[in-house]
Amino acid sequence: MSDVVRWGAFSCALVPFVLIISGASWAGAAGTSAGLALVTGACRALLRRSERSAAGLRGRAAGRQRDRSGRSGARARRGGRHGERRTPVD
């Protein structure tokens, strides 16, 4: 993600410079720079949000336990040889 933000910041500085050299007005270059900075900030926020949600999903998936039959939850964590079956002892 940091590379994307660095390239966004670089373009926010480079584009107005190129616009001024090519003959655009200072106000137009400043407006373009502000627009690029806004878009870069929004993209950075969205990337951080998606990384956090992906990390949360990975953490929740790793915390699930399954038994041999593929069941998850409280039934998967019960110990013992026979689990829930109760057989009378003669």
Side-chain angles (χ1 to χ4, degrees), residues 15-61:
V15 168
F17 178 72
V18 170
L19 287 174
I20 290 171
I21 289 176
S22 66
S25 68
W26 284 87
T32 302
S33 177
L36 285 173
L38 184 68
V39 168
T40 302
C43 289
R44 180 175 182 235
L46 289 172
L47 281 170
R48 290 183 76 187
R49 182 179 177 189
S50 69
E51 284 180 349
R52 286 181 184 162
S53 65
L57 288 174
R58 273 184 263 136
R60 277 187 254 148

Side-chain angles (χ1 to χ4, degrees), residues 53-68 70-78:
S53 65
L57 288 174
R58 273 184 263 136
R60 277 187 254 148
R64 292 185 186 140
Q65 295 181 356
R66 295 189 179 270
D67 64 0
R68 289 183 185 175
R71 293 185 183 115
S72 63
R75 296 179 72 184
R77 289 186 215 106
R78 290 192 178 159

